[in-house]
Each structure stands twice: as C-alpha cells, then as structure tokens.
C-alpha cells in the first residue's frame, strides 16, 4: 500500500472514486449484495466506517482521520488482490436493512426469500399466498447458513418457535453469533444435521429454505469471489437440484395442514416441473428473477387435514 494514497486521498468521496477505479481496472466480479463497481465500492467504504450503507451524500466530502484512511486503503487493496467479497472484508452483510455477521464459513446472504417476506407481509392487506403470520406457530429454516432467514422469520412470525438446520458446524457457529446479536436464544433453536434429519419427525406450519442449488458446470465457471465461499453451500449436484428433490420428497412428512414450503432453486424451473408434473408450484417473482423461488402448499404436497378439522 502506497503512503501517497493515504496522503493524497482525504475525503470519503476520494476513497469511493479510487475504489471504483481500482475495481474496474481489476475487472472484479460482483453479486454478493452489489452488482457493479460503483455499488461495491460504496458498500466497502461506508460499511468499513460504520456508516449507513445506503446513504452516501451527507458524508461524501467529510474529511477522514488518518486511521480511517489507512483502513480504507488497506481494504480496497485487499478486495483487489484477494478478490474476496467485500462483505468478508467488513464482516457484515445486510438483508432488507438488517445486519448480519458473516465470514468465510458461510456464503454471503443474498436470498430472494428475504425480499419476498418483506413484500408479502409489508403491505396493508397481507400476503396473497403465505399464511397469516399470527397463525404460524412453528417455522423451520433448512440450510440456514448464517441464520439470516431464520432470524427474519422471528420478525414476521412473532408467535412462532423457529428452528434452523445446517449440515455445517462452522456455519452454525456464525448463525449462533447472529442469534445472540438479536437476542433470540429463547425463540430460535439451531440444529446440526442433513436437511430434516435432526428434527425427529417434527411438523411445522412453514418451511423456508435456500439450499445449495448451483450445478457443477456453473461452479466450474465461478469467478474468484464465488470460490471464496464454502463450496458445499453452493453444490446442488450435477444439475443443481439434488437437495431440492429431497426437500420435495421429505417435506410432506414435516408439514402441518394449511402450511407450505417456500424454496429458492435458482434456474431449475423447467427441470423441476418436468420431474414433478403433478405438483402445483407457485413461482414467486422478485426484483431480479421471475422463477427462482417457488411456494408449494402442504395440500399440494399431499398433506391432508385431520378428520374433524
């Protein structure tokens, strides 16, 4: 790191501009909460200084202290030379404004499910397909990773007990830090195991899951930023749908009548519909995708209400 950088660059605007230029020259890849050099540079600079990540204008011409300038110069250099996602460098990621601790034990949170929950439950009239949030008493997040979706579930389903499962013990250590940060020790329970295995036949009103769903061809083409993440958190098998198939097969044994499963699958809609022609998938549109997430009701999966209910 050149001493001239710290001497010559003084304001937040200087470091933001410098980062954009370095990122463009290095041809970095994005997709971990940002989609281009401008936004990624803004995130890295703002989050490193513990400023609101969506508010540049009031701070652009603020003069930075020497330790702040040194920190930014070091992180910009590290982003370029290691190509690690910026969230790993700051140790934080955000979903709909909520902050989560992250490191290289988990993928950087970016699930479409967070957007769907906010859209469906943030309006005046409630969701058109998800259950009444105050009627949901039990939720499970399968493949929880950092625990972000499970934590969001505690916000939207305040009366529910929430369980979260991941095969990776390392990922669950990160999820535990986030659980403690939000004070959810009494509402959220973490389990290590493969999909539904540690749940011992329990049933839930809602299953949410963002499982590994990247196919092997796509993984082979990953840029360095994606290779920095745990491979097991991406690997969905040859066509990306191995775990999704298992979830669809096992979910009926873990759903209460009236419930359902919200599942992110990436780009496998055609394959899934061809293999499960009798299932009534509801594909949920998001800002970036039209068919990356499906909702399927317990009834569509063959769960029948108990007699007399």
């Amino acid at each position: 790191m050149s001493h001239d950088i710290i001497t010559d660059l003084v304001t937040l605007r200087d470091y933001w501009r410098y980062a954009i230029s370095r990122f463009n020259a290095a041809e970095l890849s994005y997709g971990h909460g940002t989609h281009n050099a401008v936004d990624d540079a803004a995130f890295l600079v703002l989050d490193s200084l513990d400023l609101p990540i969506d508010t540049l204008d009031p701070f652009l011409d603020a003069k930075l202290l020497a330790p702040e300038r040194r920190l930014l110069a070091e992180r910009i250099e590290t982003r370029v030379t290691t190509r690690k996602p910026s969230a790993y460098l700051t140790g934080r990621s955000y979903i709909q404004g909520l902050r989560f601790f992250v490191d290289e034990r988990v993928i950087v949170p970016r699930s479409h499910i967070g957007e769907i929950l906010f859209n469906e439950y943030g309006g005046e009239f409630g969701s058109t397909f998800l259950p009444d949030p105050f009627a949901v008493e039990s939720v499970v997040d399968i493949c929880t990773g950092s625990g972000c979706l499970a934590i969001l579930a505690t916000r939207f389903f305040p009366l529910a007990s929430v369980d979260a499962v991941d095969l990776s013990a390392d990922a669950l250590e990160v999820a535990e830090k986030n659980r403690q940060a939000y004070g959810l020790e009494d509402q959220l329970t973490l389990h290590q195991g493969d999909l539904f295995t540690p749940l011992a036949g329990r049933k839930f009103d809602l299953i949410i899951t963002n499982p590994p769903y990247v196919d092997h061809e796509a993984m082979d083409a990953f840029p360095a930023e994606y290779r920095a993440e745990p491979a097991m958190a991406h690997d969905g098998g040859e066509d990306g749908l191995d775990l999704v198939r298992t979830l669809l097969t096992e979910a009926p044994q873990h759903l209460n009548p009236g419930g359902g499963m919200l599942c992110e699958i990436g780009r496998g809609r055609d394959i899934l519909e061809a293999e499960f022609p009798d299932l009534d998938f509801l594909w949920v549109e998001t800002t970036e995708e039209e068919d990356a997430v499906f909702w399927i009701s317990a009834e569509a999966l063959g769960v029948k209400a108990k007699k007399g209910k």
Side-chain angles (χ1 to χ4, degrees):
M1 180 180 63
S2 171
H3 179 72
D4 291 341
I5 294 173
I6 300 174
T7 303
D8 295 342
L9 304 182
V10 178
T11 66
L12 189 148
R13 185 191 300 272
D14 292 337
Y15 282 89
W16 183 38
R17 196 283 310 159
Y18 173 68
I20 295 168
S21 297
R22 290 294 310 277
F23 292 0
N24 281 330
E27 297 183 344
L28 300 183
S29 294
Y30 309 98
H32 297 85
T34 63
H35 299 286
N36 53 61
V38 172
D39 291 343
D40 202 65
F43 170 82
L44 183 60
V45 169
L46 291 168
D47 202 44
S48 292
L49 298 177
D50 206 22
L51 295 171
I53 62 168
D54 57 355
T55 309
L56 266 171
D57 290 344
F59 310 111
L60 276 173
D61 295 312
K63 293 182 178 180
L64 304 179
L65 300 173
E68 295 174 325
R69 301 201 299 271
R70 188 176 301 110
L71 174 65
L72 292 183
E74 289 174 349
R75 287 188 172 173
I76 292 167
E77 186 69 16
T78 300
R79 177 72 177 94
V80 169
T81 57
T82 69
R83 298 180 66 100
K84 293 179 181 179
S86 290
Y88 284 160
L89 305 185
T90 70
R92 296 185 290 220
S93 185
Y94 299 78
I95 293 183
Q96 301 294 321
L98 293 181
R99 175 190 285 181
F100 299 98
F101 167 76
V102 295
D103 63 22
E104 285 147 295
R105 291 173 289 182
V106 297
I107 63 171
V108 177
R110 50 191 180 271
S111 174
H112 299 296
I113 292 175
E115 177 189 341
I116 291 168
L117 291 175
F118 272 83
N119 287 345
E120 291 299 314
Y121 290 127
E124 181 180 355
F125 301 107
S127 177
T128 57
F129 62 92
L130 293 174
D132 178 348
F134 294 100
V136 173
E137 298 179 354
S138 55
V139 179
V140 64
D141 174 20
I142 301 294
C143 303
T144 193
S146 62
C148 57
L149 293 181
I151 290 169
L152 287 179
T154 67
R155 294 292 185 94
F156 289 107
F157 308 104
L159 305 182
S161 61
V162 179
D163 291 86
V165 181
D166 205 283
L167 185 58
S168 168
D170 288 341
L172 288 174
E173 290 177 0
V174 176
E176 174 61 17
K177 290 193 69 169
N178 286 315
R179 183 175 78 146
Q180 292 182 17
Y182 282 94
L184 294 170
E185 291 86 347
D186 292 336
Q187 189 180 3
L188 172 58
T189 304
L190 304 176
H191 307 267
Q192 184 184 1
D194 187 13
L195 304 180
F196 295 106
T197 302
L199 299 174
R202 291 176 54 198
K203 295 180 182 292
F204 300 88
D205 295 329
L206 179 64
I207 298 168
I208 56 176
T209 179
N210 180 23
Y213 56 69
V214 183
D215 63 75
H216 287 172
E217 182 179 357
M219 288 188 67
D220 289 341
F222 268 175
E225 283 82 353
Y226 288 84
R227 292 182 184 276
E229 298 179 296
M232 69 176 293
H234 287 293
D235 190 353
E238 188 64 30
D239 65 1
L241 294 175
D242 284 0
L243 274 73
V244 178
R245 293 182 180 93
T246 303
L247 287 164
L248 283 168
T249 301
E250 296 183 0
Q253 287 76 52
H254 297 277
L255 277 172
N256 290 321
M261 179 168 70
L262 190 63
C263 177
E264 184 166 333
I265 68 160
R267 304 183 186 279
R269 175 177 178 173
D270 291 344
I271 298 173
L272 209 60
E273 290 185 328
E275 288 191 19
F276 297 89
D278 296 329
L279 293 185
D280 185 15
F281 296 104
L282 172 64
W283 297 95
V284 187
E285 185 174 352
T286 66
T287 302
E288 298 177 8
E289 302 285 350
E290 293 183 354
D291 51 9
V293 179
F294 68 78
W295 163 259
I296 189 162
S297 68
E299 288 67 30
L301 285 168
V303 178
K304 297 180 180 179
K306 294 180 180 179
K307 292 183 178 180
K309 293 289 182 93

